[in-house]
Amino acid sequence: MDFFRKPRETLMQGIGILAATLSLSGMRVSNNEFNDRFIKQYRCSQQFKDEMTIRRFYVYETLIRHNFVVFQTDTGHTFKVHLIADVDPGHHTPVFVEIAPTYWRPDGRYVKKCNKKPRDLKNFVKYEVKKFGTYEVGINDCRHFARAVARFLSR
């Protein structure tokens, strides 16, 4: 019985540390340390070529309710559209949007089909960046940006 106690205690300590870290992140978010900031940058991977066609996508939500859209092209490449607002105490990195390579793992999420060209998505993202306004947790954040991209890809 003592043999299993040590690994169990170590596991419980790890879970406690994870919960404390997530709680601290939640406190920072609730304190609105990075609200009222505009999107400063838009980055797009060189691998995302205009000749491709976006065939399917899904919205990914992390444990801390961070959302982004993952999509796959007809060439088999996988990318994500990701609004990033880093929370570092005392150091405000710019809020930015990135279209970057990632992996395809829907894990039971609803996968939708589409038939959009990269140029259309890039133009939409540029338009959304201008229209987005200031970042506000829970009001105008990564979830809202991801939903707007998903709506565009669904049309």
Side-chain angles (χ1 to χ4, degrees):
M1 193 65 146
D2 287 333
F3 178 75
F4 292 107
R5 180 174 287 162
K6 185 69 174 169
R8 183 173 178 264
E9 288 176 5
T10 303
L11 176 66
M12 295 308 286
Q13 286 176 348
I15 291 172
I17 290 170
L18 177 64
T21 303
L22 291 175
S23 174
L24 181 59
S25 294
M27 285 177 14
R28 287 184 187 150
V29 168
S30 67
N31 289 336
N32 301 323
E33 287 185 23
F34 57 111
N35 278 353
D36 300 323
R37 296 188 316 184
F38 288 94
I39 298 173
K40 297 285 187 193
Q41 299 173 353
Y42 162 65
R43 303 178 198 160
C44 185
S45 170
Q46 296 283 334
Q47 297 171 1
F48 190 43
K49 307 277 187 209
D50 286 341
E51 304 83 47
M52 298 174 172
T53 302
I54 302 166
R55 295 294 183 197
R56 57 189 185 154
F57 71 95
Y58 63 91
V59 177
Y60 185 87
E61 183 172 320
T62 66
L63 291 174
I64 57 171
R65 303 195 58 98
H66 180 68
N67 288 209
F68 51 90
V69 175
V70 178
F71 61 91
Q72 198 167 49
T73 66
D74 57 345
T75 60
H77 291 86
T78 304
F79 299 92
K80 65 182 171 185
V81 180
H82 194 192
L83 173 65
I84 302 168
D86 291 331
V87 181
D88 291 326
H91 180 264
H92 291 293
T93 58
V95 177
F96 64 95
V97 174
E98 181 176 59
I99 299 178
T102 190
Y103 51 89
W104 183 263
R105 193 181 323 162
D107 294 332
R109 289 173 185 82
Y110 184 66
V111 176
K112 295 183 180 179
K113 297 190 183 296
C114 82
N115 193 27
K116 298 279 187 189
K117 289 294 194 182
R119 179 171 292 147
D120 297 333
L121 178 61
K122 291 174 189 177
N123 288 337
F124 175 78
V125 169
K126 287 177 188 175
Y127 172 75
E128 277 298 304
V129 164
K130 290 178 185 172
K131 184 181 113 177
F132 192 74
T134 59
Y135 188 96
E136 295 289 332
V137 175
I139 298 169
N140 201 28
D141 59 14
C142 61
R143 287 177 288 162
H144 300 89
F145 196 86
R147 288 179 192 145
V149 171
R151 272 192 307 274
F152 169 76
L153 290 175
S154 293
R155 288 190 245 146

